[in-house]
Amino acid sequence: MTPTILTVLGADQPTDLGSGQTGHSGATDLHNLFGSEVRTDRLDMTRHFFRQAWRPSLGQYDYVVNLITDPDQNPYVLDNLSRLLRGYRGRVINPPAIVLRTTRDKVAARLAGTPGLIVPKVARFKVARPEAAIALLERVGLAYPLIVRRAGTHGGHILGLCHNSGEVAACIEPGAGHFATEFVDYQSPDGLYRKARIFFIGDRMILRHRVALESWNVHAGDGHKYMLDHPVLLAEEERDMAVPEGAFPAAVHDVLREVRQRIGLDFFGIDFGLMEDGRLLLFEANATMNFLPFELDPRLEYTRRSILPAQVALWELVGLKHPATS
């Protein structure tokens, strides 16, 4: 019997897309890997959901797939979903209570001490005056330089790499939530910086990319743009993607398995660097990572190898057998 599936999206502050449509920030696009073959119903969770008279009947669903992934942007709708799920007897994919524990500071605390993983210290702050932020950072003992970003931002968006308290004071926005993360230099001997992204989907690991760039703030778009002019780097990434989980040493996969267990989500991603001594350097680990789209340049066709294993893993997660495994 085919399982019944409900996907849940929502945001504390939906994004206006025009023409009466709204989008959801702080979510993932992983559900698009189901494809047209998998029938799912959809629920839009809102901040004021419990003011409305209508409630969905969850008992008809075998699986509820939570696609609300960012606890900084969407704490209210995640709380609402937790409330709605009370008494539900089916399987919840990415329970909202666990998602709420995946802010940058909480992830750093949860992963601290993981053998083979360097976890930079992270502090969260929301203050009215820059002086209060400086005092807090001194109190928790973070070492400069510090990467400062707004809470709830991803995709390499930072406010500054700050080398002293004056630079921190100049870049923060009073009254807004911020994270400060200790910067660890991970430059390779060839002068480049490399970042890998692994998706955990159920019991499987899928390497989405491993890109290189001349600057430390690496993300896939700029990395691939740079690599297109450097065939050696393309060949390097292609070799890494020869197997779905990434052609890394066994010790790397051991660390990644430990990360998956400590985070506790059914699906999420990790961005990391690989140090010369074999240790991994954590950048971030959370479910607010998009799997799509893929670059159209034919020289990057090899990156599409990750699509099928990700689809198989996602189908397995909701009790389905993908046609490719038949």
Side-chain angles (χ1 to χ4, degrees), residues 127-274:
V127 294
R129 296 176 298 107
E131 294 81 3
I134 304 307
L136 181 146
L137 296 177
E138 291 178 352
R139 190 162 60 248
V140 299
L142 264 65
Y144 291 98
L146 297 174
I147 304 167
V148 178
R149 52 171 59 88
R150 282 282 299 266
T153 58
H154 303 273
H157 299 294
I158 68 167
L159 297 174
L161 177 62
C162 303
H163 295 81
N164 52 59
S165 59
E167 292 182 2
V168 172
C171 76
I172 66 171
E173 303 167 16
H178 296 80
F179 287 112
T181 305
E182 290 183 338
F183 174 78
V184 176
D185 190 0
Y186 65 103
Q187 189 176 38
S188 300
D190 62 2
L192 299 177
Y193 296 85
R194 290 170 171 82
K195 184 202 78 170
R197 172 170 291 183
I198 289 275
F199 273 88
F200 301 94
I201 307 175
D203 294 329
R204 297 177 184 259
M205 290 186 284
I206 297 100
L207 176 62
R208 176 60 180 81
H209 60 245
R210 190 182 183 203
V211 292
L213 197 61
E214 291 177 310
S215 67
W216 69 268
N217 190 11
V218 184
H219 51 99
D222 288 346
H224 278 140
K225 183 178 179 181
Y226 175 79
M227 291 164 60
L228 287 172
D229 292 327
H230 299 81
V232 171
L233 297 177
L234 294 178
E236 177 184 287
E237 184 184 34
E238 185 170 7
R239 286 194 301 271
D240 289 338
M241 300 187 76
V243 293
E245 66 274 17
F248 299 120
V252 171
H253 290 129
D254 289 342
V255 175
L256 292 170
R257 279 189 283 269
E258 179 66 20
V259 168
R260 177 174 56 198
Q261 182 171 345
R262 293 193 182 204
I263 295 298
L265 290 171
D266 298 293
F267 67 80
F268 68 101
I270 180 173
D271 286 348
F272 65 94
L274 193 57

Side-chain angles (χ1 to χ4, degrees), residues 54 88 91 99 129-130 182 302:
W54 177 82
Y88 172 64
R91 169 80 185 277
V99 173
R129 296 176 298 107
E182 290 183 338
Y302 63 85

